[in-house]
Amino acid sequence: MSNFFSLPRERLATLPTPLEFLPRLTARLGGPQVYIKRDDLTGLAFGGNKTRKLEYLVADAKQKGATHFVTEGGIQSNHVRQSAAAARLVGMQAVLVLNSPDDAPAVQGNYLIDDLLGAQCHTVPTGPDRKPRMAELAEQIKAEGGVPYITVSGGSDAVGSQGYVGMVQEMNTQLTELKVNPRCVYVANGSAGTQAGMAVGQSLFGGGYTIKGYCVVPGGADEITQDTLTLANQCAAHIGADPVDPSRILCDDSQFGEAYGFPTPAALNAIKLLADTEAILLDPVYSSKAFAGMLADIEAGLYKRDDAIVFIHTGGTPALFAKVDLLKPILSR
Ligand SMILES: Cc1ncc(COP(=O)(O)O)c(C=O)c1O
């Protein structure tokens, strides 16, 4: 058995997040029975999936005596926003390296919240500029007597992915209470940590369902499947669990569209459909693409009316405010 339950963890999230049936959406679709796991409600500064990862990352940082929590992302990164909040709660200074093509990015959405949370924000023009800038900042922090803790994009390393090992145990308990046996669990895959952690969680805690991850970053399904498997096995090794069964990692790139961060017409329809039926808001970058993938499977007739499926809502809603232009096709004004 693994040592998962004895590894350091800082409680940051409001858990368990609800697992709810979506009666109006299910009726609108005529089945299958659709459930949602509300990880958009993890509670830390607008919530989202990164909070579960940060419980382990921040604990690791504390154990290493860190004074500064250094991390990276795009200008509208959800991981960065939740990192800023987590650092604030444990008394570390968040140091954020954000890439944006604009010299003066709009102070909106996640970037606005980073600022309100007192994070130090450093912008660079492109993604590849982030790591060298983080290394530079880490040197500066050390020179001033501080201790930097550097976290990768999305919090997706062996430590952070543990958050989703625990999510599977939590979800399985809820499914048992509800007497629901889903055929498939749908989730977005960006930096892979969420799906990787879930794969480890499933091999530790069971569950007869398929986990299907939807790629929202470029690379293609084969490469992202391999990256997710590698990360899952790093996470398994970290917690002393057996390697995962590679056939458990299923990534689908059919909803990627033109580029990261640009919602497809199907993703926009998904946002509108869930808002109209259940008053739940998806985000334009991640959850809407995964939800569109789930709707495509339903449309393709993969499920019978009484089958159950689960959608993991990973959050990201602050980006709605920063991407109004891209939402225009589904806005009434
Ligand atoms: C809202 C949201 N959903 C899903 C994901 C994907 O999670 P992961 O990076 O662990 O694959 C992210 C982050 O990348 C996110 O911010």
Side-chain angles (χ1 to χ4, degrees), residues 186-257:
Y186 290 87
V187 69
N189 185 325
S191 58
T194 302
Q195 191 175 354
M198 286 174 69
V200 178
Q202 193 181 32
S203 64
L204 275 183
F205 303 117
Y209 43 79
T210 301
I211 298 170
K212 198 166 176 190
Y214 279 86
C215 311
V216 302
V217 294
D222 289 348
E223 188 182 313
I224 292 171
T225 301
Q226 194 47 53
D227 291 350
T228 307
L229 177 63
T230 303
L231 181 55
N233 285 334
Q234 287 165 355
C235 177
H238 177 71
I239 66 172
D242 291 336
V244 305
D245 174 354
S247 70
R248 289 290 195 175
I249 311 271
L250 187 62
C251 299
D252 181 310
D253 60 9
S254 62
Q255 303 298 321
F256 173 66

Side-chain angles (χ1 to χ4, degrees), residues 31-82:
Q33 312 297 302
V34 187
Y35 289 77
I36 193 165
K37 177 76 172 147
R38 298 292 305 270
D39 267 23
D40 55 322
L41 302 181
T42 51
L44 185 67
F46 285 90
N49 61 337
K50 306 306 177 191
T51 305
R52 289 187 192 265
K53 299 179 181 183
L54 285 160
E55 289 196 335
Y56 292 92
L57 291 164
V58 159
D60 191 41
K62 264 175 86 170
Q63 210 174 40
K64 293 179 171 140
T67 55
H68 291 68
F69 195 83
V70 184
T71 195
E72 59 174 314
I75 195 77
Q76 282 299 328
S77 165
N78 299 301
H79 159 69
V80 158
R81 178 242 318 156
Q82 287 160 88

Side-chain angles (χ1 to χ4, degrees), residues 203-329:
S203 64
L204 275 183
F205 303 117
Y209 43 79
T210 301
I211 298 170
K212 198 166 176 190
Y214 279 86
C215 311
V216 302
V217 294
D222 289 348
E223 188 182 313
I224 292 171
T225 301
Q226 194 47 53
D227 291 350
T228 307
L229 177 63
T230 303
L231 181 55
N233 285 334
Q234 287 165 355
C235 177
H238 177 71
I239 66 172
D242 291 336
V244 305
D245 174 354
S247 70
R248 289 290 195 175
I249 311 271
L250 187 62
C251 299
D252 181 310
D253 60 9
S254 62
Q255 303 298 321
F256 173 66
E258 278 172 40
Y260 168 75
F262 287 85
T264 57
L268 291 175
N269 285 338
I271 294 174
K272 192 75 182 105
L273 177 63
L274 193 61
D276 278 352
T277 50
E278 301 285 353
I280 295 175
L281 299 168
L282 295 168
D283 84 287
V285 181
Y286 300 91
S287 56
S288 55
K289 287 187 176 174
F291 203 87
M294 181 183 80
L295 293 175
D297 276 359
I298 295 170
E299 177 88 356
L302 252 61
Y303 300 113
K304 295 199 277 298
R305 194 185 182 86
D306 292 335
D307 285 340
I309 55 176
V310 177
F311 179 76
I312 311 288
H313 191 334
T314 44
T317 41
L320 283 170
F321 302 98
K323 293 194 181 264
V324 177
D325 285 353
L326 297 175
L327 297 173
K328 285 222 167 101

